[in-house]
Amino acid sequence: MTNKRIGLTLAFSALAAVALVLGLLARRMALAPEPGFAALLALAVLAPAALAALVIRRELGPLAALGEQWRDAGERPGRGPHALAVVLGRRLGQSQQRIVELERAAVASLAEGRLLKYDSNKLQAVLQCLPDGLLVLDPAGELAFATGKIEPLLGVAAGDVLAQPLEQWCEDAELRALLARFRAAGPDSRRPQAIEFNPCRVPDKRLWASAQPLQAAGGELAYGTLVVLRDATREHLARQAANDFVAHVSHELKSPLNVIGMYGEVLADAAADPALRVEAVNVIQDEVERMNSLVNNLLNVNKLEMGSMRPERHRVKLDDLLRDALRQAQPRADSKGVRLELQVPRDVAAVAVDKDLFRIALNNLLNNAIKYNQRGGSVTLAAEETDSGVVIAVRDTGIGMAPEDRARVLEKFFRVRETGPEQRGGHGLGLYLANQIVELHHARLEIESELGSGSVFSIHLEKMPALAEGANVL
Amino acid sequence: MNKRTVLVVDDEAHVVRVLRLMLEREGYAVDCAADGNAALAAMAEHRPDAMVSDIQMAGMDGRALCRAARERYPDEPFLILVMTSMTAADERGWVRELANVEFLEKPLSPRRLAARLAAHFGGAAAAAEETPCTPTR
């Protein structure tokens, strides 16, 4: 025990004794009923005074010591006023230097604190800007940190769930199971793991979540678990669409192959009726053409969806383009007993189109009009100028469509359900592709149709201004 | 002697035509339907001895048709042959849940179909023996 503490102890003991004596005296003088009460009262008065004396002595201690030094300097033998002044000057200089050092240290400490705060705020801003959601769970499993991005992903606001255990706010069983592996000691808790799941609160999303232990370099200090959440909805839908596409295409290709195989057996059957053999040859040819058309449309659709179908628009004389399209469709129309007509004025305005792409669109519209027509029917390809542009129309006298089919007929793979005896065997890509090509040209495709009467598919294009003399036209 | 009846269900008209021609030549009576609902209606009128069905059809598909046929006629598990181009195991597992349903791979061979039916009916393919549950044609 130090001298100082012995002194303090003795002082307080003396104080208590004085308080007791005063209490007894007070009782004796009938000033207080109980000696204990009186002692306490006296202590309550004396104790603050003693405490104040101690504090004052402590605060004045350095000054008292300085005073001692001054007195000491003045009383040292052999020192005149000049020597005294030198000593005092030196001590003042040291004191000032010390004060300056302390001030500098304080300023540096303040600056360092502000810099740390700035860096912390900057890091926070960086984390909040990340496109992925971040969660940090402490070793006890409570949420220690979360970025605002978790709200659109998980459907919970970061501020609402901080410092809460996972089980209290996380409704996603897959996510809880993933994080439970990190709380349990074992090989799973030491390496990153990832899952995909549909969050309960945002069911139309598909999330990818990766969790890994959050440790200091060297691995001595474990801060908890870091979870990264990413919106994987687009990738998931793309995978699903790709799988559906492959399944659909596989079916579309195997169907004509099935028919070709069966009619092939008919041809190989020596006992088959000659008329049946002729039918077999015709059907096989039709199915081969159907497969060829499907493959071509698939390739074009793929180019379109990959973004590699970029129209190169040039000024084109419309009547030549439409005549050419009709010529291409003639053999098919002849085989179906359908009449083709052209109604295009020679002086119809020119349009700016990609000739090759536009041919595909016209070809698909004409094939559709022929396919869904009846023997003896007709298909008319017409063009006329309007105030705002040029309208190209494909009119047929075919089977037409019900309103609910008309609303969907431009969808990819949509096929009108055929109930009649003749099955036309479309595969739902021709009109979809035609519409996409029309839209690439910043034009629009309109449909009018009546079940049992026929349909009109109209392409509305902008016309080009009149050319200057000598300009090139394709 | 009563002919055995085969119900052919497919929305592809050419498939139905070739199968009808081949099965009739083999001595079977053939009913046809273009989708599952039409097939159930045909079944209600006349229960077939066997059914050959495609899977992917508009309206009720082949899978739903097979389930409906077993649910409606649990005591008459006539042979069902399903034509399929689906090769994935998870797309075929449903067949194991139903009695007397088998797959036929596409492209379908009419000769292979005839052989399968003949094996099922014990060699006397077209001639039906006493079949108390089958109405006469």
Side-chain angles (χ1 to χ4, degrees):
Chain A
M1 212 183 209
T2 62
N3 289 337
K4 195 174 177 180
R5 285 189 185 175
I6 291 170
L8 276 172
T9 307
L10 284 173
F12 272 106
S13 302
L15 196 61
V18 166
L20 188 60
V21 165
L22 283 174
L24 287 169
L25 277 175
R27 184 162 188 267
R28 198 177 184 103
M29 291 162 66
L31 289 178
E34 296 291 335
F37 173 75
L40 274 173
L41 189 63
L43 196 62
V45 170
L46 292 171
L51 196 61
L54 275 170
V55 167
I56 289 165
R57 194 192 148 113
R58 200 181 79 164
E59 291 301 314
L60 292 179
L63 280 175
L66 189 60
E68 288 280 340
Q69 284 174 358
W70 279 68
R71 203 167 28 252
D72 204 41
E75 286 172 359
R76 205 167 281 189
R79 279 208 181 162
H82 175 72
L84 180 62
V86 167
V87 168
L88 288 174
R90 204 183 303 134
R91 293 207 189 275
L92 269 171
Q94 285 170 351
S95 301
Q96 276 173 346
Q97 197 176 350
R98 182 72 188 130
I99 290 168
V100 165
E101 283 171 5
L102 284 171
E103 278 177 349
R104 277 192 195 141
V107 166
S109 178
L110 186 65
E112 199 175 314
R114 283 185 179 160
L115 192 62
L116 278 171
K117 180 76 180 161
Y118 172 78
D119 284 342
S120 170
N121 288 344
K122 191 167 76 172
L123 186 59
Q124 276 275 351
V126 165
L127 291 174
Q128 296 293 345
C129 282
L130 289 175
D132 297 336
L134 294 181
L135 301 170
V136 175
L137 278 68
D138 66 19
E142 290 187 3
L143 190 62
F145 174 78
T147 59
K149 288 291 185 327
I150 69 161
E151 186 167 356
L153 296 176
L154 290 177
V156 290
D160 293 346
V161 296
L162 276 174
Q164 290 186 37
L166 195 66
E167 294 75 22
Q168 223 167 302
W169 61 269
C170 181
E171 295 179 354
D172 300 299
E174 301 100 322
L175 186 58
R176 286 208 306 271
L178 171 68
L179 296 173
R181 291 179 224 158
F182 287 87
R183 291 217 293 277
D188 277 356
S189 66
R190 289 191 286 275
R191 57 173 188 266
Q193 294 176 56
I195 58 167
E196 274 199 22
F197 67 102
N198 293 90
C200 297
R201 290 194 177 101
V202 195
D204 57 345
K205 279 209 189 292
R206 182 80 175 167
L207 298 187
W208 174 86
S210 157
Q212 60 189 71
L214 194 59
Q215 290 172 323
E220 318 88 32
L221 192 61
Y223 299 117
T225 309
L226 172 68
V227 183
V228 179
L229 293 168
R230 183 169 300 157
D231 190 344
T233 310
R234 279 177 67 177
E235 292 87 344
H236 179 66
L237 290 176
R239 275 198 307 271
Q240 263 185 350
N243 290 340
D244 291 345
F245 180 78
V246 168
H248 194 99
V249 167
S250 164
H251 176 261
E252 291 296 312
L253 287 173
K254 283 212 171 183
S255 292
L257 281 174
N258 196 36
V259 172
I260 291 168
M262 291 168 86
Y263 273 98
E265 276 195 25
V266 168
L267 283 176
D269 183 1
D273 182 62
L276 184 58
R277 284 166 172 261
V278 170
E279 178 187 322
V281 168
N282 288 334
V283 168
I284 288 172
Q285 280 180 331
D286 281 348
E287 293 302 306
V288 167
E289 193 182 314
R290 183 178 158 195
M291 286 178 68
N292 187 47
S293 169
L294 171 64
V295 169
N296 286 336
N297 276 335
L298 280 172
L299 288 171
N300 286 324
V301 164
N302 185 56
K303 262 194 238 174
L304 188 87
E305 291 180 347
M306 295 295 288
S308 55
M309 191 180 268
R310 285 188 178 77
E312 289 181 15
R313 298 172 71 174
H314 299 282
R315 193 185 189 90
V316 167
K317 284 179 72 175
L318 203 49
D319 59 338
D320 287 345
L321 181 66
L322 299 186
R323 273 175 216 285
D324 191 40
L326 215 66
R327 242 192 317 271
Q328 276 197 339
Q330 193 66 59
R332 189 161 169 75
D334 289 342
S335 71
K336 295 287 179 184
V338 171
R339 193 174 70 256
L340 294 182
E341 293 174 12
L342 187 68
Q343 291 176 2
V344 180
R346 267 281 169 193
D347 58 350
V348 70
V351 291
V353 296
D354 181 310
K355 228 175 170 181
D356 293 330
L357 285 181
F358 218 72
R359 267 202 204 102
I360 294 172
L362 287 174
N363 189 47
N364 285 356
L365 290 176
L366 286 169
N367 277 343
N368 192 70
I370 294 166
K371 189 189 298 180
Y372 291 97
N373 218 316
Q374 37 248 357
R375 200 156 279 277
S378 68
V379 173
T380 304
L381 181 57
E384 63 171 341
E385 275 188 58
T386 63
D387 290 338
S388 55
V390 173
V391 179
I392 302 169
V394 177
R395 282 194 291 270
D396 68 69
T397 56
I399 61 175
M401 285 180 277
E404 59 271 18
D405 291 331
R406 195 169 67 240
R408 297 191 60 195
V409 78
L410 299 179
E411 287 176 17
K412 194 172 162 186
F413 293 129
F414 177 80
R415 287 159 60 176
V416 174
R417 187 159 167 251
E418 299 181 70
T419 52
E422 192 184 342
Q423 303 288 305
R424 273 86 174 179
H427 34 71
L429 283 178
L431 290 179
Y432 167 77
L433 187 57
N435 187 45
Q436 294 300 308
I437 290 171
V438 165
E439 286 186 354
L440 275 177
H441 285 83
H442 306 292
R444 69 178 190 280
L445 180 63
E446 292 182 356
I447 307 170
E448 295 165 51
S449 187
E450 197 176 323
L451 200 59
S453 300
S455 306
V456 181
F457 287 76
S458 313
I459 302 173
H460 295 250
L461 276 165
E462 285 179 5
K463 62 182 169 185
M464 293 204 72
L467 266 185
E469 269 189 44
N472 287 332
V473 175
L474 289 179
Chain B
M1 208 174 299
N2 299 328
K3 287 185 178 183
R4 294 194 189 274
T5 306
V6 179
L7 175 59
V8 175
V9 188
D10 201 318
D11 57 355
E12 188 71 57
H14 295 307
V15 170
V16 171
R17 173 157 168 75
V18 171
L19 290 183
R20 175 197 276 278
L21 288 171
M22 181 276 296
L23 289 170
E24 285 178 347
R25 201 175 68 178
E26 295 292 317
Y28 296 98
V30 180
D31 284 338
C32 303
D35 62 42
N37 287 315
L40 287 174
M43 245 182 255
E45 272 189 45
H46 177 222
R47 212 84 71 248
D49 296 294
M51 182 170 78
V52 181
S53 174
D54 193 12
I55 292 187
Q56 280 186 275
M57 296 180 286
M60 182 187 283
D61 67 8
R63 189 165 163 170
L65 168 61
C66 292
R67 286 189 201 282
R70 289 297 182 251
E71 278 168 21
R72 286 192 191 190
Y73 313 109
D75 299 325
E76 299 172 71
F78 49 84
L79 175 67
I80 299 179
L81 299 171
V82 180
M83 295 183 282
T84 183
S85 54
M86 294 178 191
T87 52
D90 59 343
E91 288 164 346
R92 295 175 163 233
W94 61 272
V95 161
R96 285 191 284 274
E97 301 166 16
L98 302 173
N100 217 13
V101 179
E102 297 172 17
F103 279 116
L104 286 176
E105 296 283 347
K106 281 186 182 179
L108 179 65
S109 163
R111 266 201 296 274
R112 235 181 24 243
L113 171 63
R116 180 66 192 88
L117 288 172
H120 175 71
F121 293 127
E129 294 176 2
E130 284 185 18
T131 50
C133 297
T134 309
T136 57
R137 278 183 80 78

